[in-house]
Amino acid sequence: QVQLVESGGGLVQAGGSLRLSCVASGRTFTRYPMGWFRQAPGKEREFVAGIRWDGERPRYVDSVKGRFTISRDNAKNTVYLQMSSLKPEDTAVYYCAATRTWPVAPDPATYDYWGQGTRVTVSS
């Protein structure tokens, strides 16, 4: 059993930065690879980034490479998504999710647990 709660979303101007956090609870958290997804209005949920259980082997969708950084601190039961050089097309609700599979996959169906989401709005 894993529970996830995202935070850190908000309104930011294009070119700015924002850090999202996902706090997890559950005894098995440290064994789960984690992913970040986003969903914009009228669009399907999209894989953004993933990370192995030990914080290694980060993976990203091409559109955010070089701008976003995923990390985790298992001692704090927290996964982060540092977002820089934000663009209006990054506007979406961002979700963290836990999976039992490795490597992390872009298919949301492979993830077992989801947070409630945090909204990110990037203005022009």
Side-chain angles (χ1 to χ4, degrees), residues 30 32 50-58 70-74:
T30 59
Y32 283 85
I51 194 167
R52 205 169 70 173
W53 65 271
D54 59 356
E56 302 296 324
R57 311 293 176 85
I70 186 172
S71 62
R72 69 190 297 167
D73 185 343
N74 287 342

Side-chain angles (χ1 to χ4, degrees), residues 48 58-69 84-85 87:
V48 177
R59 300 180 66 178
Y60 305 92
V61 67
D62 286 344
S63 61
V64 308
K65 287 182 178 178
R67 300 189 299 119
F68 291 11
T69 301
S84 300
S85 301
K87 305 175 181 179

Side-chain angles (χ1 to χ4, degrees), residues 2-7 21-25 34-39 45 93-99 111-119:
V2 176
Q3 295 179 337
L4 308 172
V5 179
E6 303 97 332
S7 63
S21 299
C22 174
V23 179
S25 63
M34 299 291 296
W36 284 96
F37 288 75
R38 65 187 180 187
Q39 188 166 21
R45 192 164 297 187
V93 176
Y94 284 72
Y95 302 87
C96 65
T99 180
Y111 290 77
D112 300 311
Y113 304 99
W114 294 84
Q116 84 289 349
T118 185
R119 188 177 303 275

